[in-house]
């Protein structure tokens, strides 16, 4: 039975795993029947990634640090990634149409930081000082989102502060710094570590009464105010489809990098009310999901 290594730099996410399994099913593979999957989670500790890469038939990797660790470990085992950055820009594939080598996968629209700030500004037009929470250990991801947000903040004439955090204690420190800076709104960068710590981040935002927008729906479902970003489950399903095709004999070099274009705007009305915010009808009307 072939073995797929599902390597993730974050924590276990049942919804994404289920979506990945659906993708495998679409190509005729059922976990436990004709394929085995070994799930490996770095829990946000990117330094663990090299040690998690094993000699497997296919490696499924999510996030730039994970893909880089897998690529460094093997030039022959097929790797199927899910990324939020341009894989060509970071030297992971030769081109989107003809990846070459042993790597291909799915790209989630990443350059959405500016749009997130626009949405937050639409909800809180009086905010003049905003902050961006980033994970400095995820260099590629942080660079893309920081650049996009700085440009957006400049065009909106907003003062932007960058708050780094790569551990639970540093998240607490970042929120304390946010209060000291008198920031009245927060953008949380999309990052697997932050996803694994979403309960802490959402709780701190609530404690300090700071309106925040996040990259993934999971944050809004956990009590966050608002999220805007790609449908991660759909991206996981597409990686499952590619993993199945490779098991059937397809070469990663010949499978074009796909782009997951399904974007979700999720608004948590209950949280908005707790923060004393009235969500404009124009914004509610554009939401894909409203949590009440």
């Amino acid at each position: 039975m072939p073995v797929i290594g599902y390597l993730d730099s974050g924590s276990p996410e049942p919804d994404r795993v289920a979506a990945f399994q659906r993708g495998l099913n679409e190509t005729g593979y059922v976990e436990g029947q004709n394929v085995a999957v070994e799930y490996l989670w770095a829990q946000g500790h990117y330094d663990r990634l090299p040690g998690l890469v094993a000699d497997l038939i296919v490696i499924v990797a999510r996030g730039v640090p994970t893909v880089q660790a897998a690529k460094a470990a093997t030039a022959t085992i097929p790797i199927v990634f899910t990324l939020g950055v341009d894989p060509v820009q970071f030297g992971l594939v030769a081109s989107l149409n003809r990846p070459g080598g042993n790597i291909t996968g799915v790209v989630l629209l990443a350059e959405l930081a500016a749009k997130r700030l626009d949405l937050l500004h639409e909800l809180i037009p009086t905010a003049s000082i905003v902050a961006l929470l980033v994970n400095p250990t995820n260099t590629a991801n942080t660079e893309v989102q920081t650049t996009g947000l700085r440009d957006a903040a400049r065009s909106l004439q907003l003062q932007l502060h960058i708050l780094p955090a790569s551990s639970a204690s540093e998240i607490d420190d970042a929120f304390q710094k946010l209060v000291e800076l008198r920031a009245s709104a927060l953008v949380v960068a999309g990052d697997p570590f932050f996803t694994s710590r979403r309960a802490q981040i959402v709780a701190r935002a609530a404690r300090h009464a700071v309106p925040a927008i996040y990259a993934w729906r999971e944050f809004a479902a956990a009590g966050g105010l608002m999220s805007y970003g790609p449908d991660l489950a759909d991206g996981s399903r597409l990686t499952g489809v590619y993993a199945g095709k490779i098991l059937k004999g397809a070469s990663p070099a010949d499978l074009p990098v796909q782009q997951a274009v399904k974007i979700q705007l999720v608004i948590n009305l209950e949280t908005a009310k707790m923060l004393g915010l009235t969500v404009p009808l124009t914004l509610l009307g554009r939401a894909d999901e409203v949590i009440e």
Side-chain angles (χ1 to χ4, degrees):
M1 186 180 298
V3 180
I4 296 174
Y6 187 103
L7 181 60
D8 197 303
S9 52
S11 300
E13 298 287 347
D15 290 346
R16 286 182 221 165
V17 169
F20 170 73
Q21 292 167 338
R22 287 197 301 273
L24 279 177
N25 296 163
E26 290 179 28
T27 59
Y29 287 95
V30 178
E31 184 178 353
Q33 293 185 18
N34 56 358
V35 67
V37 182
E38 184 175 351
Y39 297 97
L40 306 167
W41 309 93
Q43 304 283 348
H45 298 280
Y46 299 152
D47 56 320
R48 296 178 184 173
L49 291 168
L52 293 176
V53 177
D55 189 14
L56 304 156
I57 301 299
V58 180
I59 296 173
V60 175
R62 186 171 73 91
V64 174
T66 314
V67 180
Q68 290 173 331
K71 184 180 181 183
T74 178
T76 56
I77 300 173
I79 299 169
V80 182
F81 59 67
T82 305
L83 290 177
V85 297
D86 181 355
V88 178
Q89 178 183 351
F90 290 93
L92 298 175
V93 297
S95 72
L96 298 181
N97 290 331
R98 300 284 295 181
N102 62 318
I103 304 178
T104 187
V106 180
V107 173
L108 307 172
L109 287 174
E111 297 181 12
L112 298 174
K115 181 61 177 179
R116 292 186 189 109
L117 185 58
D118 282 339
L119 291 167
L120 198 56
H121 186 253
E122 183 177 348
L123 178 59
I124 316 165
T126 57
S128 58
I129 303 175
V130 297
L132 170 66
L133 184 67
V134 298
N135 181 358
T137 63
N138 192 347
T139 308
N141 198 44
T142 296
E143 179 183 326
V144 170
Q145 298 192 56
T146 300
T147 300
L149 210 67
R150 278 182 173 146
D151 292 341
R154 192 177 302 114
S155 67
L156 292 171
Q157 297 183 325
L158 299 175
Q159 185 177 349
L160 176 67
H161 295 281
I162 309 299
L163 304 177
S166 57
S167 67
S169 61
E170 288 180 354
I171 289 174
D172 288 340
D173 293 341
F175 273 94
Q176 186 58 46
K177 183 67 174 177
L178 181 147
V179 173
E180 294 171 4
L181 293 169
R182 300 184 182 277
S184 49
L186 172 68
V187 178
V188 177
D191 185 272
F193 169 66
F194 290 159
T195 303
S196 69
R197 302 297 306 181
R198 62 181 175 271
Q200 177 189 3
I201 294 172
V202 168
R204 297 301 179 274
R207 176 187 297 176
H208 296 293
V210 179
I213 187 168
Y214 307 89
W216 317 124
R217 179 194 177 278
E218 286 91 338
F219 285 87
L225 173 62
M226 186 164 51
S227 67
Y228 182 77
D231 184 339
L232 294 181
D234 187 53
S236 295
R237 181 189 65 81
L238 292 172
T239 59
V241 171
Y242 260 19
K245 287 184 177 182
I246 290 171
L247 288 178
K248 287 181 177 292
S251 169
D254 299 327
L255 293 174
V257 174
Q258 299 186 74
Q259 188 170 66
V261 295
K262 186 177 179 182
I263 305 298
Q264 296 176 311
L265 170 60
V266 182
I267 299 173
N268 191 315
L269 268 187
E270 182 180 355
T271 301
K273 292 175 183 176
M274 289 175 56
L275 292 170
L277 298 173
T278 300
V279 182
L281 291 177
T282 53
L283 191 56
L284 281 176
R286 301 202 305 274
D288 297 281
E289 182 182 355
V290 176
I291 299 173
E292 300 188 64

